[in-house]
Amino acid sequence: MSGRRLKTFVHVDGVAYGPGDQVPDKVAKRIGDHAWETAPAYEGEHGPQTVQVPGDEPVAPPRSGRGSGIEAWREFAEKNGLEVPAEASRDDIIAACEAAELVEREE
């Protein structure tokens, strides 16, 4: 079984596989990298390594409008390694992202 996790549903030979499914290795080889949560690991001279696939970086949510809520900002911050206190407001999270230089400050 593949140790990778799908980020979306795919169909291979009429069988659907999704984010919570175990994908057999022979099926996993037929699924493109764009459908996986992480890039494939490969054996380097220092053991297994993960390669960064362009486009895998978390994208900052908008600051206003649809998709700009606290949960979107919390997820973005946590995916970038920031610890977000449960009581933090949306503005607190954005300020922490600015301080960590994950996003540019708004003037």
Side-chain angles (χ1 to χ4, degrees):
M1 293 293 163
S2 171
R4 297 167 68 192
R5 177 178 156 81
L6 288 168
K7 64 181 173 184
T8 189
F9 284 88
V10 297
H11 291 84
V12 178
D13 293 333
V15 178
Y17 298 93
D21 297 332
Q22 292 292 320
V23 181
D25 289 333
K26 78 177 199 177
V27 174
K29 290 177 185 176
R30 298 179 58 198
I31 300 172
D33 289 339
H34 65 281
W36 298 99
E37 287 283 332
T38 58
Y42 71 95
E43 287 289 328
E45 69 180 69
H46 301 291
Q49 300 175 9
T50 299
V51 294
Q52 184 70 26
V53 176
D56 279 355
E57 302 84 24
V59 177
R63 293 189 189 228
S64 63
R66 177 177 272 170
S68 65
I70 188 170
E71 288 308 315
W73 278 98
R74 181 180 304 280
E75 181 179 343
F76 172 73
E78 289 173 348
K79 282 186 177 180
N80 279 286
L82 293 180
E83 290 185 28
V84 180
E87 68 279 357
S89 70
R90 178 182 161 279
D91 290 339
D92 293 338
I93 298 169
I94 292 172
C97 290
E98 290 173 344
E101 297 183 349
L102 296 175
V103 296
E104 290 186 25
R105 294 187 189 279
E106 280 196 340
E107 302 282 329

